[in-house]
Amino acid sequence: MQILDGKKLSKKIEEYVAFETKELKSATGRVPGLAVILVGNDPASHAYVGMKKKACDRVGFYSVTHEMPENISQEAIEETIKMMNQNPNIDGILIQLPLPAHIDTTKLLELVAPEKDVDGFHPFNVGRLTTGLDGFVPCTPLGVMELLSEYDIDVKGKNCCVVGASNIVGKPMAALLLNANATVEVCHIFTDDLKKHTLNADMIFVGAGVINLIKEDMVKEGAVIVDIGINRAENGKLVGDVDFENVSKKCSYITPVPGGVGPMTIAMLLSNTLKAAKLHVKEEA
Ligand code: NAD
C-alpha cells in the first residue's frame, strides 16, 4: 500500500504558483488577487478561510476577506460581489459555504463573474466541465485528479465509484473521471446496498461526511481509495470517511486524512486564481 501524499504535492504546487506569481509581477506589475466572502461565525468556515488566507500570503497573492455578520441581508452580499466583479485587483471570488439559511446561495453563486469563479461553482463553469471544455473546475475534485496524476494512476477504463453527489464534491468528481474516460458510478444517501457498488470498483472516491462509511469488507483487493471526507471524531481528531486502519491493509493506494485531499484543495484554489489572473492580464493587453 502506498500513501497518496497531498501535503507533499501541495507544497510543490505552491512553489510553482509562487514562482509564477513573481514572474507575473515582474512582467506586469500586478499579482493575483483573491476576495473571500465569509458570513457568520461557523468555526469550520473561519478555520478554512484562515488557511486560504495564509496560503495566499505564502505565494505572494493579494487577498481580502469580507467578513459579514450572520444576519447580513442578501442584498448586502450581492452588492459586495458586484463590487468584486468590477475590481481590477481581484481575479478570483470565493464565497465560503455554507451560508445562513435566509441567504439564497444559488443566486449569489450565479452573480460571481464566471471569469472570476475560481471555485468553479457558477453554472457557466459547471456546463463547461460537463462538456469537457476548459474553465474553472471545483478545487477539491481537481486536486484529486492532480494527486492521481502525480502518482501515474490512470483512470481510463477503470471502474470508479464516487460516493457522495454534492455539487461541490461528488458531481464534479464524477464529471472529471468521465472526461478522463473512466466508467463512473455515483452513489449517494439513497443508494441501495452501497457495498455492492464499492466492491465492484477499481477506485473509490468518497466524500459523504460519514465517519467509517467505507469499511474493509466493502473494498476490492488492490483498489485505489481517495478519501475526501473531513469529519471531527469524538476524540477531537480529524478523520475521513474511510476506516483507514483496516482499509489501508487491503488497497494499493490511499489518501490519509489529514494530509491527503485537504491540502490539494487549497493548492488548486491558488492554481485557479493564478489561472484567472493570467487570463485577465491577457484580456487587458
Ligand atoms: P454534502 O452534505 O453536501 O453531500 C454529501 C453527499 O454524500 C450527498 O450526496 C449524500 O447523498 C451523500 N451521503 C451522505 N451519507 C451517505 C451515506 N451514508 N451513504 C452514501 N452516501 C451518503 O457534503 P459535501 O459538501 O459534498 O462534503 C462531503 C464531505 O467532504 C464532508 O466530509 C466535507 O467536510 C468533505 N469536504 C472535503 C473537502 C476537502 O478539501 N477535502 C472539500 C469539501 C468537502
Side-chain angles (χ1 to χ4, degrees):
M1 181 278 296
Q2 198 178 343
I3 293 284
L4 297 170
D5 191 342
K7 206 171 163 189
K8 191 167 148 199
L9 178 58
S10 68
K11 280 202 178 128
K12 203 162 121 182
I13 293 167
E14 268 195 23
E15 279 168 23
Y16 168 77
V17 173
F19 173 79
E20 289 287 304
T21 299
K22 259 193 195 157
E23 295 276 296
L24 189 74
K25 192 177 178 185
S26 62
T28 67
R30 78 198 282 295
V31 294
L34 178 71
V36 178
I37 292 172
L38 174 60
V39 182
N41 303 315
D42 176 48
S45 290
H46 275 259
Y48 289 136
V49 168
M51 287 194 285
K52 289 167 187 173
K53 163 110 189 66
K54 276 189 192 153
C56 283
D57 293 346
R58 284 198 299 271
V59 297
F61 285 6
Y62 163 67
S63 75
V64 56
T65 304
H66 293 274
E67 270 195 64
M68 301 176 179
E70 185 82 21
N71 61 358
I72 188 94
S73 69
Q74 173 85 20
E75 293 71 30
I77 310 179
E78 288 179 10
E79 280 315 306
T80 307
I81 295 172
K82 285 181 196 163
M83 251 166 47
M84 294 299 109
N85 281 343
Q86 298 297 327
N87 186 336
N89 295 318
I90 295 300
D91 297 295
I93 301 170
L94 183 155
I95 305 169
Q96 185 63 42
L97 303 179
L99 293 170
H102 69 281
I103 299 294
D104 183 343
T105 301
T106 308
K107 200 172 169 208
L108 295 184
L109 294 177
E110 282 184 308
L111 199 60
V112 173
E115 70 276 8
K116 296 192 177 188
D117 174 35
V118 288
D119 252 343
F121 295 163
H122 192 290
F124 176 87
N125 284 312
V126 176
R128 291 189 72 85
L129 170 62
T130 50
T131 43
L133 296 171
D134 187 34
F136 290 104
V137 175
C139 302
T140 300
L142 184 62
V144 170
M145 295 308 280
E146 283 290 321
L147 200 49
L148 294 180
S149 158
E150 176 73 5
Y151 287 82
D152 290 324
I153 300 170
D154 193 358
V155 304
K156 189 174 169 183
K158 296 280 167 23
N159 288 332
C160 291
C161 181
V162 177
V163 184
S166 70
N167 289 337
I168 64 170
V169 178
K171 284 185 199 162
M173 187 73 255
L176 282 169
L177 292 167
L178 189 58
N179 289 349
N181 297 315
T183 301
V184 186
E185 256 192 298
V186 184
C187 300
H188 45 78
I189 188 84
F190 299 113
T191 298
D192 185 33
D193 195 359
L194 181 62
K195 182 176 166 179
K196 186 179 86 190
H197 299 274
T198 55
L199 259 183
N200 186 42
D202 302 311
M203 302 186 184
I204 300 172
F205 303 79
V206 55
V210 181
I211 297 177
N212 286 339
L213 180 63
I214 305 298
K215 299 178 194 74
E216 190 188 359
D217 65 344
M218 298 169 76
V219 173
K220 186 163 95 174
E221 196 77 44
V224 174
I225 309 293
V226 176
D227 191 352
I228 304 167
I230 302 179
N231 310 291
R232 186 73 65 183
E234 271 177 22
N235 60 9
K237 278 192 174 168
L238 278 189
V239 294
D241 290 352
V242 176
D243 174 2
F244 184 90
E245 196 188 332
N246 294 307
V247 170
S248 59
K249 292 175 191 149
K250 211 174 169 186
C251 62
S252 55
Y253 293 91
I254 189 165
T255 58
V257 178
V261 178
M264 290 304 298
T265 297
I266 295 186
M268 290 301 104
L269 174 65
L270 299 174
S271 169
N272 278 352
T273 307
L274 175 68
K275 175 177 169 170
K278 284 182 176 176
L279 283 172
H280 295 147
V281 164
K282 222 175 177 181
E283 278 163 16
E284 287 157 14

